[in-house]
Amino acid sequence: MFTPAQLGLDDPARYVEAEKRFSRTASECAASANVAGEGRALLNTAWAVEKQGRGAEAIKLAETARHLLRDSEALSALAECCHSIGVWRFHHFDDDPPVNDFREAIQVRLGTGDLMAAAQSWHNMGYVQLASGDVAGAWSSYEHATDLLRQVRDGGDTELASKAFRQFGFILSHQAFAAARHDSARAALQATGRYFDHVRLTGAHREPVYAYLAPGIALAASREVPEDEANALEALVGIAPDPESWLLAAVRQATDAMTSPVDTGTGRHAYLGARILALAELARWHHMAGRGREADELVDLAVNLSRARGWHGEAVRAARVSEGSS
């Protein structure tokens, strides 16, 4: 139903070949008792397997890799392994949030002094906590990520300071999304404004879809439009202060970034997960507006994208939009 590009993938043959190559390397390392090498090769194999939509198999391989990397004290690879398991579990399964995987990644990354990577794990964990209903935990995780980036920014290395400043955009977009879910419309619009001010200063988006979603979600849930904040945001971004305009913009951002072969200037392409989320949120708005057929079509697209990628957890979460409207 979908091209590899629409699923955020390269040529599928690449992953099949990579799986064979990495699996062969893992066997060779095991035969020579190279524990760290075997762990890294199994993690790479898991990466190739997950790209083929075989999530449960990928996680099982990565769990084996995690034990080997712990035993061999290959800390950088261990942190990457823990972080990857957390991301994969969230996409593939709709069960307990994988916060312990992110916590181990954070602990290892802090232990090696990699504050930037630890901040990444904090903000990923924050989103998982938010999606699972742990709002206080999510806000705390975003603050931890912010504190780490501030430490990097103030550490005296000019190049790292610049990278850390740009990375703040990740946190700001997530905080705007969190405010839209669990704070007032005014707070959500203010948080969105902070993100787009940051974009203006850095020249690069960081996970922009979440920031575009925030005003749409907040305005849809609010009886009144905070005029000062709405007007300021419209002047900054050029999008009218109504839910549908912002939600449509979020879908466009995600779709363009997923399918364009051109560097979008966003720093990295939007996640497929962000597109699925944007489709589901636009569907939720259509349901609220009494446009059930359009809503159902969007939910079907979100669910089918999720299933085509092998992300069963994402499919369940997208389908809940229709369940909640019935």
Side-chain angles (χ1 to χ4, degrees):
M1 292 179 62
F2 303 104
T3 66
Q6 289 171 323
L7 297 174
L9 299 170
D10 293 320
D11 181 354
R14 174 195 175 197
Y15 303 117
V16 174
E17 189 280 329
E19 178 188 354
K20 294 177 181 176
R21 184 175 72 254
F22 290 130
S23 181
R24 186 166 54 249
T25 300
S27 297
E28 293 169 353
C29 288
S32 62
N34 180 354
V35 178
E38 182 184 2
R40 290 189 183 93
L42 282 176
L43 177 57
N44 288 333
T45 306
W47 165 82
V49 166
E50 195 281 332
K51 291 292 189 183
Q52 297 173 60
R54 293 148 52 199
E57 186 179 346
I59 291 168
K60 186 176 180 179
L61 285 166
E63 288 285 15
T64 302
R66 173 152 60 180
H67 290 299
L68 295 170
L69 295 168
R70 280 181 188 145
D71 290 345
S72 60
E73 298 185 351
L75 298 181
S76 178
L78 173 60
E80 180 186 352
C81 185
C82 295
H83 186 95
S84 296
I85 291 172
V87 171
W88 295 342
R89 278 184 171 151
F90 180 74
H91 285 316
H92 286 277
F93 302 113
D94 182 47
D95 51 15
D96 292 335
V99 292
N100 288 333
D101 299 306
F102 290 115
R103 285 199 178 102
E104 184 173 2
I106 291 164
Q107 182 180 18
V108 175
R109 285 171 165 175
L110 289 176
T112 61
D114 193 345
L115 303 188
M116 291 271 284
Q120 179 195 16
S121 293
W122 271 121
H123 105 255
N124 274 259
M125 185 168 80
Y127 179 72
V128 168
Q129 289 170 313
L130 190 70
S132 63
D134 182 6
V135 181
W139 281 113
S140 177
S141 294
Y142 293 145
E143 288 302 320
H144 280 299
T146 299
D147 288 343
L148 290 177
L149 291 176
R150 284 176 179 150
Q151 290 180 47
V152 175
R153 182 195 63 190
D154 299 338
D157 186 310
T158 303
E159 183 177 354
L160 281 179
S162 177
K163 289 181 179 179
F165 180 62
R166 289 163 66 91
Q167 293 292 84
F168 274 119
F170 284 121
I171 314 304
L172 291 172
S173 64
H174 277 236
Q175 286 177 325
F177 180 77
R181 283 276 193 235
H182 300 286
D183 208 333
S184 66
R186 176 170 283 104
L189 297 183
Q190 289 172 342
T192 306
R194 286 191 291 273
Y195 170 79
F196 283 103
D197 273 331
H198 187 77
V199 170
R200 180 174 52 83
L201 292 172
T202 62
H205 280 290
R206 289 294 187 266
E207 292 189 354
V209 178
Y210 296 92
Y212 281 94
L213 283 172
I217 293 169
L219 292 169
S222 179
R223 294 183 178 180
E224 297 181 359
V225 176
E227 290 190 6
D228 290 345
E229 289 78 10
N231 291 337
L233 194 55
E234 183 176 10
L236 184 63
V237 188
I239 297 176
D242 68 83
E244 190 166 0
S245 294
W246 280 97
L247 294 172
L248 285 170
V251 171
R252 284 196 301 270
Q253 283 283 324
T255 303
D256 290 349
M258 287 300 304
T259 59
S260 173
V262 180
D263 184 354
T264 60
T266 61
R268 59 176 172 168
H269 290 322
Y271 293 126
L272 174 62
R275 186 184 179 204
I276 293 167
L277 176 65
L279 291 167
E281 290 300 335
L282 181 58
R284 195 187 308 277
W285 166 249
H286 281 330
H287 273 306
M288 292 174 63
R291 289 142 61 181
R293 188 180 70 177
E294 294 96 324
D296 289 343
E297 289 173 353
L298 289 166
V299 170
D300 286 346
L301 176 55
V303 169
N304 288 333
L305 278 166
S306 303
R307 289 175 176 164
R309 181 61 177 81
W311 287 355
H312 304 295
E314 296 284 3
V316 170
R317 286 186 286 273
R320 285 186 186 138
V321 172
S322 291
E323 294 169 4
S325 67
S326 59

